Amino acid sequence: MGYWYLAIAIVSEVIATLALKASDGFSQFFYSAICVIGYVAAFYFLSLVLKTVPVGIAYAVWAGMGIILVAAISAIIYKQVPDLPAIIGMGLILAGVAVMNLYSKTAAH
C-alpha cells in the first residue's frame, strides 16, 4: 500500500507546485487554495508512505518523479520547455530512481 500512497503524494505535490506558479505569489485565491491543499495532501500521504517504505527511498522517488512530472507538465501548460542539458539531467534522475527500485536491497524492505 505504501507505493500507492507514494503515487498519491507525488500527484498531490505536482498539482500543488503547478498551482503555486499559477497563484502568482499567492495573489490568486483559487490557485493558492489548490496549492495549500495539494501540499497538505502530499505531506499527509508521504507520512503514510514512511510507515512501510524507507525514508531515503521514498524521498528519492517522490522528489525524482516530482521533478520529471513538473518539468513535463510545465512544458505543456506554461511553455517552459527544458533544454537538452536539463532533459539529460532529468533522465539521469529517472535512471537513479529506477536503479534504486530495481537493484537496491534498501528499497525492498
Side-chain angles (χ1 to χ4, degrees):
M1 198 67 189
Y3 282 97
W4 286 107
Y5 288 147
L6 184 56
I8 295 169
I10 292 166
V11 169
S12 298
E13 186 263 337
V14 168
I15 291 169
T17 301
L18 294 169
L20 183 61
K21 167 72 173 151
S23 77
D24 193 29
F26 284 106
S27 65
Q28 303 295 316
F29 177 78
F30 177 73
Y31 292 110
S32 298
I34 290 173
C35 178
V36 170
I37 291 166
Y39 281 129
V40 167
F43 282 105
Y44 171 73
F45 283 103
L46 184 61
S47 75
L48 297 179
V49 171
L50 298 180
K51 292 181 178 183
T52 58
V53 178
V55 68
I57 299 300
Y59 190 74
V61 173
W62 184 48
M65 294 308 297
I67 290 167
I68 302 295
L69 290 170
V70 167
I73 297 169
S74 292
I76 296 165
I77 294 175
Y78 299 118
K79 308 297 186 228
Q80 297 175 339
V81 180
D83 60 8
L84 184 59
I87 292 170
I88 292 170
M90 286 183 276
L92 292 170
I93 291 168
L94 187 60
V97 169
V99 166
M100 282 190 326
N101 281 291
L102 293 172
Y103 302 108
S104 173
K105 292 179 182 167
T106 304
H109 287 97

